[in-house]
Amino acid sequence: MQIKLINKIIWVLIALIGAVAVCGIALNRGETINALWFITAALCVYAIAYRFYSAWLATKVLLVDETRATPAERLDNGRDFIPTNKWIVFGHHFAAIAGPGPLVGPTLAAQFGYLPGTLWILFGAVLGGCVQDMVTLFFSVRRNGRSLGQMARDEIGPVGGTAALIGTFAIMIILIAVLGLVVVNAMKHSPWATSTVAATIPIAMMVGFYMRHIRPGEVLEASVLGVVLLLLAVMSGGWIDHHPMLRVFFDHEGLTLAWWVIAYGFAAAIMPVWLLLAPRDYLSTFMKLGTILLLTVAIFTLHPQIKMPALTQFIDGTGPIFGGKLFPFVFITIACGAISGFHALISSGTTPKLLSNERDIRMIGYGGMLLESFVAIMALIAATVLDPGVFFAINSPAGVVGKEAAEAVSLITSWGFPVTVEQMKTLASNMGEASLFARTGGAPSLAVGMASIFGSLFGKGLLAMWYHFAIMFEAIFILTTLDAGTRVGRFMLQDMLGNIWPKMAQTSWWPSVLISSALVVAGWGYFLYIGVIDPNGGVNILWPLFGIANQMLAAIALCVATSILVKSGRLNFAWVTGLPLLWLVVVTSTAAWEKIASSDIRVGFFAAANDMAAKLAAGTLMPEKATVAPQLIFNQHLDAWLTMFFVAVLWVVVLDMLWGVLQFYLGKAVLSSSEVAYQKSCID
Amino acid sequence: MSRLLKKFWGRVRQLSGDDAYERYLQHYMAHHDLKAEGEVEAPLTKEAFFKEWQDKKWTGIKRCC
């Protein structure tokens, strides 16, 4: 009785502290606010959501059954179906879902101020993203670990299944393009960054060779070797940067680098996995977990002051980093940090095949996403500890603030975010870069933020080293996503083409491998190319497109879940997935509508295309802009059609799902549940 | 303390797949009675197992955004 009371008091206290912290963040109008407020608010919100909401979801909505045998137990084959300790599964699951998205999204969304991003990362995750990951994992576990596409087909119908498949393919293409652009912008005219990123390729190959042939299966040994080599590569990058001859080799325009990234993507897609992809993934996982841990420790010990205001004037849609109002674009931009459709693919991929007991679903599905959300909060902190003037100088494209440093700083200062040319010069030279102006994409500003945090903790002397370490850390797992994504895209395309010509479906038939890889690479390579030649930086077009696609996929996953809940007689609980679904439909449709129909040339694709066409015809464009204008105009049209396609896919799935639900309530025949029958678990 | 460290190390090995072959052998021994009559395939060698394990690991969507 007494313990129960103490327990209650503790939870009331956590709730109070959390509420105070959230209010403190929301109501603060001082010059700065300490990062501890954010961490406290986040941890309290997560604790309460996990303790109460996820427990309620597990016991009352999903009816998790601890006595039921999981697919890992029933189908145990010692290879892909293996009952595994929950911490191990958690590690695998988190390593799979945590990519560069939650680092880039919050950084870009910081143009609205720290408040909108923080609130959406916290509440979007606990009410939307975590729920999506958890229910998808649960339903997949009950269906022998089936994939989202298969579940959509089984539960909603062939239309839903096809839409999920096409959606996944489209999001992959856009995702890779935007990530490629982030890397290119980080390497542009930076011999240090370029040489370090280039060095990760031979290092990964060495590690791969070691694991495969020198000491087969000694994964940890090889990884340690690789991590040491990577750190050496960061250090020797500094030496190359100072070498008058060598630095020329690695000093390139964005376009040249984009072609290299495209060539690399093609090579990586056709190379055997053991040589490049697998070892790169080990390195990136270790780097990712290590750096996130280091960042957490640094933020906890330093608790820096956040200098960005709670809200900026750019909530009206005039922001320099990307155009568009707070609603709906903050939700589209944050993307993976709050809710990510991509996670549903992991939750219905490897993870359900490893769970040894259904009770672990709560920790892995819900808890894994909470941790990802926390990573997004830390990325937001790292972006907002910078002086806002510096933040905008790094992230605003030259097409918006002007090419000349003096022009850019005077414009940014006139917005109320003071910054000087001198300040930017000192910062760039501290970070070992020639210039930090207009380094769009979020990676450089995150790296500057991380370097200044690490620098204050471990000494200012190594700022340049930390900056390039952060760039390498971001680049290595962006390139892993690029490799893995191109490969997955290739498999999907081979599968689709196989419907037309069966021979194409043979994944090891060389002509098929080459053609499908080339098509996938051409797909994202096109968007990357356009992004690089776009004077407005490209990120402002591609990231919203990616956000829309990602939220669309999340909506499809929530449709599947809602449909299953209703058909299994749990209509009274269907709001659990239904409300986040409704929100996503509203957000995605509004964003898509604005991207298509807005007359603001920084938001609407058609408006931008028409504006540029008119200027081109009138001859008022700068000559260098006029040469690329036709391509940019074509691209704006293409993006508009693509957006319409995404939103159409979304509505088709939603309507198909609603139709099924209606049929069910009218007592008509619907697709029966594909849940596998109960079998008692024999593991303790 | 040393027990805790050992456990932690065991977890790291399992998480990275360092001990995948050992676990495979364990699974193999548990599920195949080597003394039983009839033909029983011998377990894979470490190299062959690792090859298969690695190729299999990369056939689906393994990494997110």
Side-chain angles (χ1 to χ4, degrees):
Chain A
M1 193 60 209
Q2 213 165 15
I3 295 173
K4 258 190 168 169
L5 188 70
I6 293 174
N7 223 333
K8 268 187 188 158
I9 293 174
I10 289 176
W11 281 106
V12 169
L13 274 178
I14 293 177
L16 279 176
I17 296 171
V20 168
V22 171
C23 292
I25 293 172
L27 301 176
N28 170 67
R29 289 296 176 270
E31 289 277 287
T32 61
I33 176 170
N34 198 285
L36 268 187
W37 287 91
F38 292 76
I39 292 170
T40 312
L43 293 182
C44 291
V45 169
Y46 296 156
I48 288 178
Y50 185 76
R51 168 64 186 79
F52 297 101
Y53 192 44
S54 77
W56 178 79
L57 286 175
T59 52
K60 293 285 188 293
V61 179
L62 299 177
L63 308 174
V64 165
D65 186 350
E66 295 185 2
T67 67
R68 196 179 178 118
T70 60
E73 181 183 347
R74 282 184 284 109
L75 309 172
D76 183 3
N77 59 7
R79 291 183 189 163
D80 45 354
F81 288 92
I82 315 166
T84 310
N85 173 283
K86 69 172 175 180
W87 290 102
I88 303 295
V89 186
F90 184 86
H92 280 300
H93 183 76
F94 179 69
I97 64 172
L103 301 178
V104 176
T107 307
L108 301 179
Q111 82 164 357
F112 293 128
Y114 65 73
L115 186 58
T118 306
L119 292 181
W120 177 238
I121 291 170
L122 293 185
F123 295 101
V126 300
L127 299 175
C130 297
V131 178
Q132 177 211 244
D133 290 17
M134 181 174 165
V135 298
T136 310
L137 179 58
F138 175 81
F139 288 131
S140 179
V141 165
R142 286 282 172 98
R143 284 160 184 76
N144 284 345
R146 284 214 192 140
S147 72
L148 179 68
Q150 286 167 321
M151 286 198 287
R153 196 162 48 229
D154 295 343
E155 302 288 341
I156 301 181
V159 179
T162 314
L165 190 70
I166 296 174
T168 314
F169 186 70
I171 184 179
M172 203 78 89
I173 298 288
I174 303 289
L175 170 73
I176 299 174
V178 74
L179 291 181
L181 188 58
V182 169
V183 180
V184 166
N185 284 346
M187 296 195 296
K188 199 159 58 182
H189 288 302
S190 168
W192 192 337
T194 311
S195 61
T196 307
V197 173
T200 63
I201 300 168
I203 290 174
M205 286 178 162
M206 272 189 261
V207 171
F209 193 77
Y210 187 94
M211 265 192 237
R212 184 79 159 198
H213 293 295
I214 301 180
R215 301 256 294 162
E218 295 297 328
V219 169
L220 279 177
E221 228 175 76
S223 303
V224 170
L225 176 78
V227 169
V228 171
L229 287 175
L230 282 180
L231 295 179
L232 281 177
V234 175
M235 288 186 224
S236 47
W239 175 76
I240 288 176
D241 189 38
H242 288 104
H243 196 285
M245 296 268 285
L246 282 175
R247 77 187 309 273
V248 183
F249 282 111
F250 296 102
D251 188 359
H252 295 292
E253 292 288 334
L255 197 55
T256 322
L257 292 167
W259 284 116
W260 278 112
V261 169
I262 291 169
Y264 166 78
F266 182 71
I270 57 174
M271 250 186 240
V273 276
W274 63 266
L275 185 57
L276 189 57
L277 182 52
R280 180 187 269 295
D281 183 63
Y282 282 113
L283 298 180
S284 93
T285 308
F286 281 114
M287 278 292 162
K288 180 161 68 186
L289 298 180
T291 310
I292 287 173
L293 200 69
L294 198 61
L295 187 62
T296 317
V297 171
I299 289 180
F300 267 88
T301 32
L302 276 178
H303 38 83
Q305 292 288 326
I306 305 288
K307 296 182 190 139
M308 183 69 80
L311 291 169
T312 65
Q313 65 268 43
F314 302 129
I315 53 176
D316 66 357
T318 56
I321 302 177
F322 56 90
K325 289 201 178 79
L326 182 66
F327 177 83
F329 287 100
V330 72
F331 308 103
I332 296 293
T333 309
I334 296 276
C336 322
I339 176 162
S340 170
F342 231 95
H343 293 185
L345 303 177
I346 306 285
S347 295
S348 61
T350 333
T351 310
K353 296 178 184 144
L354 298 176
L355 283 180
S356 56
N357 192 302
E358 284 193 0
R359 81 170 87 89
D360 303 343
I361 287 174
R362 182 179 158 210
M363 178 187 125
I364 291 154
Y366 202 92
M369 180 63 206
L370 282 183
L371 194 55
E372 166 114 330
S373 165
F374 191 58
V375 172
I377 287 285
M378 287 195 298
L380 190 97
I381 292 176
T384 49
V385 293
L386 297 176
D387 279 322
V390 170
F391 171 82
F392 283 110
I394 298 175
N395 284 303
S396 304
V400 175
V401 293
K403 264 195 176 154
E404 296 307 317
E407 199 185 337
V409 293
S410 76
L411 183 62
I412 294 168
T413 307
S414 77
W415 291 332
F417 304 115
V419 60
T420 61
V421 177
E422 204 44 48
Q423 192 183 358
M424 289 301 292
K425 253 195 192 137
T426 318
L427 186 69
S429 88
N430 280 345
M431 298 295 163
E433 290 285 287
S435 159
L436 284 171
F437 278 106
R439 303 296 290 267
T440 56
S445 84
L446 181 65
V448 171
M450 277 168 64
S452 47
I453 291 174
F454 290 149
S456 337
L457 194 63
F458 304 106
K460 291 271 181 207
L462 294 169
L463 271 180
M465 208 64 91
W466 282 118
Y467 173 85
H468 290 94
F469 171 79
I471 292 283
M472 182 273 289
F473 144 80
E474 290 172 272
I476 191 167
F477 68 97
I478 285 181
L479 290 180
T480 308
T481 307
L482 189 141
D483 293 3
T486 307
R487 215 177 179 82
V488 170
R490 181 194 115 196
F491 284 134
M492 289 167 101
L493 193 64
Q494 283 184 305
D495 201 39
M496 284 188 246
L497 292 176
N499 292 326
I500 306 164
W501 184 24
K503 208 161 163 59
M504 286 300 284
Q506 293 175 9
T507 46
S508 54
W509 188 50
W510 271 99
S512 167
V513 171
L514 291 177
I515 293 170
S516 49
S517 302
L519 285 174
V520 172
V521 173
W524 60 257
Y526 163 77
F527 287 104
L528 172 59
Y529 167 78
I530 291 289
V532 171
I533 62 167
D534 187 343
N536 284 343
V539 172
N540 53 347
I541 290 185
L542 277 177
W543 192 263
L545 211 53
F546 160 68
I548 291 174
N550 189 11
Q551 304 297 294
M552 170 199 73
L553 196 58
I556 292 177
L558 288 169
C559 272
V560 172
T562 311
S563 163
I564 295 176
L565 282 178
V566 172
K567 287 196 296 176
S568 56
R570 284 173 274 187
L571 179 72
N572 51 336
F573 292 132
W575 59 267
V576 162
T577 51
L579 285 184
L581 171 63
L582 180 68
W583 177 245
L584 285 186
V585 171
V586 170
V587 166
T588 322
S589 304
T590 321
W593 171 251
E594 290 191 12
K595 290 309 279 180
I596 295 163
S598 171
S599 56
D600 179 351
I601 56 163
R602 305 228 15 251
V603 180
F605 288 131
F606 284 128
N610 294 342
D611 175 71
M612 197 174 288
K615 280 185 184 154
L616 186 65
T620 52
L621 283 181
M622 301 286 238
E624 78 261 22
K625 221 173 174 180
T627 48
V628 294
Q631 285 169 305
L632 294 179
I633 293 169
F634 170 77
N635 183 54
Q636 299 272 12
H637 281 279
L638 180 71
D639 291 342
W641 287 106
L642 204 58
T643 310
M644 277 188 240
F645 173 71
F646 286 156
V647 96
V649 167
L650 169 66
W651 276 96
V652 164
V653 177
V654 170
L655 292 176
D656 202 15
M657 184 272 288
L658 289 176
W659 177 247
V661 167
L662 185 70
Q663 296 288 87
F664 177 78
Y665 269 89
L666 295 175
K668 302 233 172 93
V670 286
L671 288 171
S672 57
S673 168
S674 50
E675 187 169 296
V676 174
Y678 178 87
Q679 204 177 321
K680 195 170 166 26
S681 169
C682 301
I683 310 179
D684 46 278
Chain B
M1 189 63 194
S2 77
R3 250 188 60 204
L4 261 174
L5 274 178
K6 235 181 190 161
K7 201 172 165 189
F8 175 74
W9 180 240
R11 289 274 184 267
V12 172
R13 290 196 64 209
Q14 203 180 343
L15 200 52
S16 59
D18 206 53
D19 66 347
Y21 184 64
E22 289 154 46
R23 277 183 287 135
Y24 161 75
L25 279 187
Q26 255 176 25
H27 181 270
Y28 186 90
M29 296 305 174
H31 291 255
H32 297 77
D33 189 357
L34 291 176
K35 284 174 203 139
E37 284 179 43
E39 282 178 65
V40 178
E41 269 181 76
L44 297 169
T45 62
K46 188 168 182 179
E47 198 170 349
F49 167 78
F50 186 64
K51 257 182 194 163
E52 201 189 290
W53 181 73
Q54 214 177 31
D55 292 339
K56 197 159 217 151
K57 197 178 160 193
W58 287 101
T59 43
I61 296 175
K62 288 290 154 0
R63 286 298 174 257
C64 235
C65 36

